[in-house]
Amino acid sequence: SRLEDWFLNKWDDARRANSKLGFYNSIKQSFGPEPYISFPSHKKIRCVVWLRTSSHRFKIETGRYGSNTKSSSLHHRACDTCCTNDTETLELLCQLPFIKLILEDEIHVLRECPAYKEVRDASTESLRKALLDTDNPKNIFNQALLNDSMKFARDIFRIRF
């Protein structure tokens, strides 16, 4: 129907226009319910929702509120495990044009950060492959990997928070 098409277009435009939804946009391509919603474990569902919607306390989110300007706030978003946590040093590094800080965002936590290596190593081989698939991050939450990805998200949040 026209109303449904109008709604879907509005939803898609709003989703793509929101810079805070970068990770969400990489895993959510179409409107509709996700399979994890019907999973029996409320705690696991909550962890997946936090991760998918960036409703967590990773520094990519908490660092948004550390400064008034985007460029000077990058040091507030740096991964404490992979970067120094010396604020002065990070501020100086951010001023250099050839330095790119390692930000504590969802992709970094899921794929690279050594703080979560044990969780990645303990996950199934199928999930580890999905985590490394840079072309299709949405596969992390597909039906076949649902139980594994929910446990993985819960374990990450247990370590971090």
Side-chain angles (χ1 to χ4, degrees), residues 6-105:
W6 175 85
F7 171 79
L8 291 174
N9 285 331
K10 286 290 189 186
W11 173 81
D12 196 48
D13 291 345
R15 175 182 67 89
R16 292 177 189 272
N18 190 334
S19 64
K20 187 180 180 301
L21 297 177
F23 181 69
Y24 180 78
N25 288 334
S26 73
I27 59 173
K28 181 73 171 173
Q29 306 298 312
S30 60
F31 184 80
E34 294 294 326
Y36 66 85
I37 295 298
S38 60
F39 202 80
S41 172
H42 177 71
K43 289 181 181 180
K44 288 181 181 178
I45 290 172
R46 183 176 51 196
C47 291
V48 169
V49 169
W50 287 341
L51 185 62
R52 288 174 59 102
T53 61
S54 299
S55 301
H56 48 63
R57 294 184 315 248
F58 292 143
K59 292 187 78 180
I60 193 69
E61 293 305 319
T62 61
R64 290 179 190 277
Y65 312 107
S67 177
N68 292 333
T69 62
K70 186 176 180 179
S71 62
S72 65
S73 71
L74 281 180
H75 73 277
H76 292 290
R77 301 179 190 192
C79 177
D80 286 338
T81 301
C82 300
C83 297
T84 180
N85 58 5
D86 177 17
T87 304
E88 273 187 57
T89 302
L90 288 172
E91 287 175 0
L92 291 171
L93 287 171
C94 283
Q95 295 174 16
L96 298 172
F98 51 86
I99 295 292
K100 185 177 179 194
L101 294 180
I102 299 172
L103 303 180
E104 186 189 39
D105 62 10

